[in-house]
Amino acid sequence: MRIGDLDLGERPVLLAPMEDVTDTSFRLLCREHGADMVYTEFIPSDGLIRDASKALAKMKTLDEEAPIGIQIYGHIPESMVEAAKMADRAAEIAGGHGADVIDINFGCPVTKIAGRGAGSGMMREPDKMVAITKAVVEAVGKPVTVKTRLGWDENSKIIVELAERLQDVGISALTIHGRTRCQMYRGEADWTLIGEVKNNPRMKIPVIGNGDIDSAVKAREAFERYGVDAIMIGRATYGRPWIFKEIKHFLATGEELPSPGVRERVETARRHLALSLEAKGPVRGIYEMRRHLCCYFKGLPDFRDTRMKMVTTLDVDELYGILDYICDRYA
């Protein structure tokens, strides 16, 4: 699969952009475990153009993460264009690798974003969505991609026609999450319309499917049943970055890898923590790891007290000691 001049190989598996999840440390870890491409957390266009420090920091990427997409969102055309220009120059502005792809978030369903017309709120204004996309494509030199949903609600699933329109204004690939905005993350993702977009003879750009892929078997089904060019995985990566390795092995051999044991999970958590500390320092590095740490050890018996210690300490040595204890007790 190619996005512009970027060759991602056959049946690539991508890490979805997720706020407060896909920071540098997690992106690096997922790349180490086989993710073919990763994305930044989504970055507000108005924050970028105001030079807000948090937005600018999210735009910094490393060579080891590449290929990587910088994702932006917003609902004001002028702000989106200026933010896209900044993302296009991310290496110069924020340092590091920069962007291989500029991705537009038209899919985030949370109320504080969609409710003001950004993210999947754009599904209620498809003409404006297409106009913003066209303006961004014309303003930057890197490939522009879009991530969106099936529609606003069950009565307005507009993705088949919308996909054609987005392709016609010049995007290089389209990612579709198989839910409407009103579904949020409830119920099952509907892949039938993703397949319909992919099998539309008018569509020439890659179509990437997203939603509910949490196993190697489901990944293969997405490729074989719906014909997508790539898949994107989001929530199933929490505490499980090795899912990319599992999927790619299964696609290549038809054999399922055994689930990692406790010792391997501890070593992965230690690696993740080290990357987070290096990137963010001791306090913030630990604080922002908490959502990940618990996920690494889901299912362990009698784990409540250990989990509470793990998500309350801000002492680096104590946290590493807790990981050692988990290994000694459960491995």
Side-chain angles (χ1 to χ4, degrees):
M1 184 188 85
R2 300 184 71 89
I3 299 178
D5 293 330
L6 186 64
D7 188 352
L8 297 176
E10 293 186 11
R11 297 193 294 186
V13 185
L14 317 181
L15 172 66
M18 293 175 284
E19 181 68 357
D20 296 328
V21 176
T22 55
D23 60 5
T24 295
S25 60
F26 193 58
R27 296 193 305 260
L28 283 168
L29 198 64
C30 288
R31 285 286 287 140
E32 290 174 2
H33 281 85
D36 292 292
M37 185 171 177
V38 297
Y39 293 79
T40 65
E41 301 168 81
F42 54 81
I43 304 173
S45 56
D46 53 352
L48 271 185
I49 64 175
R50 291 199 316 268
D51 290 336
S53 58
K54 187 175 181 180
L56 288 169
K58 287 182 179 180
M59 199 166 62
K60 183 176 180 179
T61 61
L62 303 177
D63 289 337
E64 296 89 339
E65 302 175 54
I68 184 166
I70 290 180
Q71 190 185 70
I72 60 173
Y73 76 92
H75 66 288
I76 301 172
E78 295 79 10
S79 297
M80 286 292 285
V81 168
E82 290 307 310
K85 289 179 179 178
M86 294 180 70
D88 200 23
R89 298 169 45 236
E92 174 187 342
I93 295 172
H97 176 80
D100 295 289
V101 168
I102 297 169
D103 191 64
I104 304 176
N105 182 322
F106 290 140
C108 180
V110 300
T111 300
K112 69 178 182 179
I113 292 174
R116 60 177 181 170
S120 60
M122 277 287 172
M123 300 303 290
R124 292 189 290 187
E125 299 183 88
D127 291 345
K128 185 177 181 181
M129 181 196 293
V130 172
I132 287 176
T133 304
K134 182 176 187 292
V136 168
V137 169
E138 293 174 349
V140 300
K142 292 185 172 65
V144 174
T145 60
V146 164
K147 187 173 190 288
T148 190
R149 290 187 167 226
L150 302 179
W152 178 258
D153 56 25
E154 284 295 311
N155 299 314
S156 59
K157 292 182 177 180
I158 61 173
I159 190 59
V160 176
E161 177 189 356
L162 180 62
E164 291 187 9
R165 296 182 64 188
L166 291 169
Q167 174 182 255
D168 290 346
V169 298
I171 66 170
S172 296
L174 175 66
T175 300
I176 305 170
H177 181 100
R179 290 181 173 86
T180 65
R181 185 273 163 182
C182 289
Q183 280 183 271
M184 303 290 286
Y185 295 101
R186 297 185 296 269
E188 293 186 3
D190 177 6
W191 278 71
T192 57
L193 282 178
I194 300 176
E196 190 172 333
V197 172
K198 174 56 192 173
N199 294 308
N200 178 355
R202 278 213 64 225
M203 294 298 294
K204 307 302 180 186
I205 61 173
V207 174
I208 303 162
N210 174 227
D212 291 352
I213 296 178
D214 58 6
S215 70
V217 172
K218 286 185 180 180
R220 185 172 68 178
E221 180 185 20
F223 283 114
E224 295 184 351
R225 182 174 180 181
Y226 301 104
V228 293
D229 299 283
I231 56 172
M232 182 178 283
I233 306 179
R235 290 172 294 161
T237 64
Y238 291 4
R240 196 181 165 197
W242 51 79
I243 190 173
F244 297 99
K245 178 170 61 177
E246 292 174 341
I247 289 172
K248 292 172 78 66
H249 181 82
F250 186 67
L251 291 176
T253 69
E255 298 174 350
E256 293 188 67
L257 290 173
S259 298
V262 171
R263 188 175 302 277
E264 185 176 348
R265 288 153 68 182
V266 167
E267 287 306 308
T268 304
R270 289 177 65 90
R271 169 66 175 155
H272 192 171
L273 176 59
L275 289 170
S276 185
L277 293 172
E278 181 181 355
K280 299 178 179 180
V283 176
R284 187 170 160 225
I286 291 176
Y287 182 77
E288 296 191 8
M289 268 291 294
R290 287 175 175 173
R291 69 164 60 237
H292 293 281
L293 284 172
C294 290
C295 293
Y296 280 114
F297 306 109
K298 278 185 177 179
L300 291 183
D302 303 319
F303 195 69
R304 183 177 181 274
D305 290 344
T306 303
R307 181 176 63 248
M308 289 302 298
K309 292 177 182 177
M310 191 165 53
V311 300
T312 53
T313 184
L314 286 173
D315 184 271
V316 173
D317 292 335
E318 182 181 3
L319 189 50
Y320 277 121
I322 293 170
L323 292 174
D324 290 339
Y325 166 78
I326 294 170
C327 191
D328 292 340
R329 178 178 179 184
Y330 293 99

